[in-house]
Amino acid sequence: MSSMGEDEVSSFFESSPPLKKMEDILQKLNGFIEHNSSGGRRRIVCVTSGGTTVPLEQRCVRNIDNFSSGNRGAASTENFVKAGYAVVFLYRSGTCQPYCRSLPDDPFLECFQFPDNTNIQVHASHVEAVKMAVMDQQAAVAEARLLKLPFTTIYEYLQMLRLIATAFKDVGPCSMFYLAAAVSDFYVPWNSMTEHKIESGSGPLDIRLAQVPKMLSILRTNWAPQAFCISFKLETDSKILIDKATKALGKYKVHAVVANELSTRKEEVVVVSSSGNVVVRRDSDKPEAIVEDNLIRLIVDRHSTYIKESHT
Ligand code: PAZ
C-alpha cells in the first residue's frame, strides 16, 4: 500500500478518542488466544458483526449509522464454533447475538411466566429456543471458544480490529478474519467535530464527511499478513455486485470476498475468489437451514487448504 494510505491510517488512529478499557480488552484477548492457539490446538477466527456509527458530536447525541442486524455475524459464529474454531466476536452493541437468533425480540417479557410469586417458568413454546440459547452460549464461553467484544463507533471498531489483528499475528495461517460488519465509509474527524450537541433552529445543516481510510490492505500487509482473510461486499443493485466484489478482491488482496445483495442476503451469497465465483444458497427444502450453514462449510474448507499450502 502507498505511504499516503499508511499516513492516513496513522493520522486516523492518532486523532481517534482513546479506546476505553483497552487494558481489559487486551488482557481478555491475549488470554483467549494463548488458551486456544498454544500448541496449535485450535484455529481462531475474528468475526465482525453489525454496523459502525459515525458520531456527529463529541458528546454524541446524533450519529450516522450503517445498516446491519448482526444476524450474519451471529449465525456464522455459531457455525464456526460448531466447526471447532475459537471465535472472537467483535460486534455492535445491541445487535443480534450468537445462539439468540430464534428468541423473540423481547425475550424477558415474552419467554417467561410466573406460576406463583417464587417460581419462574419458560413458556412451552419458547423452551427449545431458550434452552439452546443458554446452554450453547454457556458451553462456548466455559470452554473458552467464544470471546465477545462490543463496539459502537467507527473509532472503537477500527481500534479494536487493529488490537485483534496485531494479537493474531503469532497465530499465523491458523487465524482468520471474517469481516461481516458494515463499516462506515465516511466520517467526521474527531478534531473537527463540535463538542456539544449541534444546535437546531438555524436552518439546514451542512456537514462535510471525510473518507474513512481503508484498513483492509494494512490488515493484510502489516497487522496480520499470514491470516486468512474474508471480506464482504453488500450492494442494493445486483447489477454491480459481482464487479464491485471482484475489484475489492484485487485491491485488498483478501482470500475471498462474500458478495451479497440486501434483499436476498439470507437466501444466497456469492463467494468471489481467484479460483472463480461460487454461488452459495440456503437449503430451501429444510425450513431450519440458513445460508451460513453452507457458507461456513465452504470457508472452513478453503481455510484448511490455505493452512496446508502455507506449510509446504
Ligand atoms: O447483519 P445482517 O445479517 O443484517 O446483514 C449482513 C451484511 C449484509 C451486513 C453482511 O453480509 C455484509 O455484507 N457486510 C459488509 C457490508 C459492506 O459492504 O460494508
Side-chain angles (χ1 to χ4, degrees):
M1 115 179 265
S2 70
S3 68
M4 176 62 191
E6 286 183 28
D7 290 349
E8 284 171 1
V9 168
S10 308
S11 66
F12 176 90
F13 285 120
E14 275 157 24
S15 62
S16 294
L19 187 60
K20 293 191 191 104
K21 300 194 189 147
M22 190 167 104
E23 286 311 313
D24 182 45
I25 296 171
L26 261 180
Q27 199 185 350
K28 284 186 187 148
L29 189 59
N30 288 331
F32 187 79
I33 294 172
E34 169 74 28
H35 176 86
N36 283 295
S37 72
S38 57
R41 246 156 61 101
R42 259 182 214 138
R43 298 180 190 176
I44 301 190
V45 57
C46 170
V47 173
T48 71
S49 183
T52 59
T53 68
V54 164
L56 298 185
E57 299 116 344
Q58 289 183 349
R59 301 189 190 208
C60 182
V61 174
R62 304 186 183 91
N63 60 50
I64 302 173
D65 209 342
N66 253 53
F67 168 79
S68 167
S69 66
N71 200 78
R72 169 91 72 226
S76 303
T77 293
E78 292 170 29
N79 276 286
F80 276 121
V81 170
K82 224 187 277 172
Y85 281 69
V87 182
V88 177
F89 182 61
L90 179 60
Y91 72 97
R92 161 74 180 277
S93 287
T95 54
C96 189
Q97 295 296 295
Y99 309 111
C100 297
R101 291 174 300 108
S102 317
L103 293 178
D105 282 349
D106 218 335
F108 271 114
L109 301 180
E110 290 184 45
C111 292
F112 301 116
Q113 58 190 0
F114 295 88
D116 54 56
N117 270 340
T118 50
N119 285 303
I120 193 170
Q121 267 180 4
V122 178
H123 279 293
S125 54
H126 293 303
V127 164
E128 269 317 303
V130 170
K131 204 166 81 182
M132 176 185 152
V134 175
M135 289 178 63
D136 290 354
Q137 136 92 23
Q138 285 181 355
V141 173
E143 292 164 17
R145 301 275 295 276
L146 177 60
L147 175 65
K148 300 212 259 182
L149 298 174
F151 66 83
T152 300
T153 67
I154 181 73
Y155 294 108
E156 290 165 348
Y157 172 80
L158 288 174
Q159 289 184 78
M160 290 168 88
L161 185 65
R162 182 176 58 166
L163 279 186
I164 297 166
T166 317
F168 272 18
K169 205 167 191 167
D170 292 338
V171 185
C174 288
S175 63
M176 186 197 311
F177 285 87
Y178 178 91
L179 305 167
V183 182
S184 319
D185 287 318
F186 303 100
Y187 79 123
V188 183
W190 192 253
N191 299 337
S192 57
M193 197 186 294
T194 164
E195 180 185 350
H196 292 286
K197 184 184 165 197
I198 297 168
E199 289 198 31
S200 59
S202 45
L205 173 65
D206 286 323
I207 306 174
R208 192 175 163 79
L209 299 175
Q211 209 173 350
V212 174
K214 298 289 179 200
M215 307 274 172
L216 247 185
S217 326
I218 214 157
L219 185 151
R220 288 283 302 120
T221 51
N222 294 11
W223 296 344
Q226 289 187 295
F228 190 62
C229 192
I230 307 296
S231 72
F232 278 72
K233 175 59 74 187
L234 170 68
E235 292 295 340
T236 52
D237 179 355
S238 57
K239 291 196 285 300
I240 62 169
L241 177 63
I242 299 303
D243 186 47
K244 289 273 207 163
T246 310
K247 285 195 173 122
L249 182 76
K251 189 166 173 195
Y252 302 117
K253 308 273 184 291
V254 289
H255 299 96
V257 178
V258 180
N260 54 173
E261 200 245 295
L262 186 66
S263 61
T264 56
R265 71 190 190 286
K266 292 192 174 178
E267 294 303 317
E268 71 168 48
V269 299
V270 182
V271 177
V272 174
S273 72
S274 58
S275 57
N277 300 350
V278 180
V279 180
V280 179
R281 292 201 176 83
R282 184 177 80 80
D283 295 335
S284 52
D285 47 335
K286 297 185 201 137
E288 297 291 298
I290 52 175
V291 67
E292 287 79 6
D293 296 335
N294 295 334
L295 175 60
I296 302 308
R297 201 170 301 127
L298 181 100
I299 298 292
V300 167
D301 249 28
R302 297 272 177 101
H303 190 201
S304 301
T305 309
Y306 175 75
I307 294 170
K308 262 188 229 136
E309 284 171 359
S310 312
H311 290 317
T312 52

